[in-house]
Amino acid sequence: MSGGQERPLRADAARNRARLLDIATEVFTTRGVGVPTEEIARAAGVGVGTLFRHFPTKEALLEAVMVLRLKTIAALTERLAAEAEPAEAFFACFRLVIDQSAGKNEFAQALTAAGVDVHASLREPSEEIQARLAELLAGAQQAGAVRPELGLPELIALLVGTSTTMEQLSTDPAARERVFEVLFDGLRPR
């Protein structure tokens, strides 16, 4: 981004950008980051030039997809916290983060290999999610639904580990559900 103010996108350009991000998210998540940008442009119904006007490199597109995914998680987490009881919100958020993490490691590896500082580019949405997780954890603990000794660092470690585990079980929904049951049982107070 430049130091000056950016002009807002025209309505059609904004729609194209949003459609490209939606399609890229779907394609990269289901087929991997190796899918050519031309296929993403074609699936979005735009020319490759339009894609590159919005995202000058494939890495810029991957980065934008990751930022969008994290912002979506943050918004959904905020909504859960507002609409559900603390325990329900906490456990639903845990599932949400895991379900939304599909392909995240592959994205991060591709960006790192291209020289992108993933932690720096995702810092803001990651911090927002961590703040929401801390609030949900505190609420669930106050409600007596989650072990009081569990801290945010342990919760994040569990989320990262569970995300990796679930990638191994992606084709077995029953096994995924058993993992959630075991984890949730372990998170509840004794």
Side-chain angles (χ1 to χ4, degrees), residues 101-125:
S101 293
K104 183 177 170 250
N105 291 335
E106 185 183 10
F107 286 28
Q109 289 169 354
L111 289 170
T112 300
V116 175
D117 183 350
V118 177
H119 294 291
S121 62
L122 302 178
R123 181 170 289 124
E124 184 180 322

Side-chain angles (χ1 to χ4, degrees), residues 26-120:
E26 177 66 25
V27 170
F28 288 149
T29 301
T30 59
R31 295 180 43 207
V33 298
V35 175
T37 52
E38 291 80 7
E39 283 188 43
I40 292 167
R42 189 173 29 253
V46 300
V48 73
T50 298
L51 184 147
F52 285 123
R53 270 193 299 283
H54 291 287
F55 309 101
T57 64
K58 184 175 186 177
E59 291 75 24
L61 178 59
L62 278 169
E63 186 176 354
V65 166
M66 285 191 73
V67 168
L68 176 64
R69 287 176 75 178
L70 290 176
K71 287 182 176 183
T72 300
I73 290 171
L76 291 171
T77 300
E78 183 176 18
R79 193 176 84 213
L80 279 171
E83 296 175 357
E85 295 299 318
E88 181 186 339
F90 174 82
F91 289 110
C93 180
F94 195 103
R95 280 182 183 274
L96 169 77
V97 170
I98 299 308
D99 291 343
Q100 293 292 316
S101 293
K104 183 177 170 250
N105 291 335
E106 185 183 10
F107 286 28
Q109 289 169 354
L111 289 170
T112 300
V116 175
D117 183 350
V118 177
H119 294 291

Side-chain angles (χ1 to χ4, degrees), residues 2 11 14 76 117 136 138 145 181 185:
S2 65
L76 291 171
D117 183 350
L136 288 170
E181 288 174 12
D185 185 52

Side-chain angles (χ1 to χ4, degrees), residues 103-176:
K104 183 177 170 250
N105 291 335
E106 185 183 10
F107 286 28
Q109 289 169 354
L111 289 170
T112 300
V116 175
D117 183 350
V118 177
H119 294 291
S121 62
L122 302 178
R123 181 170 289 124
E124 184 180 322
S126 294
E127 288 174 354
E128 185 177 346
I129 291 171
Q130 287 184 22
R132 301 263 182 263
L133 287 172
E135 292 168 6
L136 288 170
L137 175 60
Q141 288 171 324
Q142 289 171 359
V146 174
R147 299 167 74 125
E149 69 274 17
L150 183 72
L152 184 60
E154 294 91 359
L155 175 59
I156 291 170
L158 284 169
L159 288 166
V160 170
T162 304
S163 170
T164 302
T165 298
M166 294 305 195
E167 286 182 16
Q168 300 300 312
L169 300 173
S170 62
T171 60
D172 189 347
R176 288 174 58 93

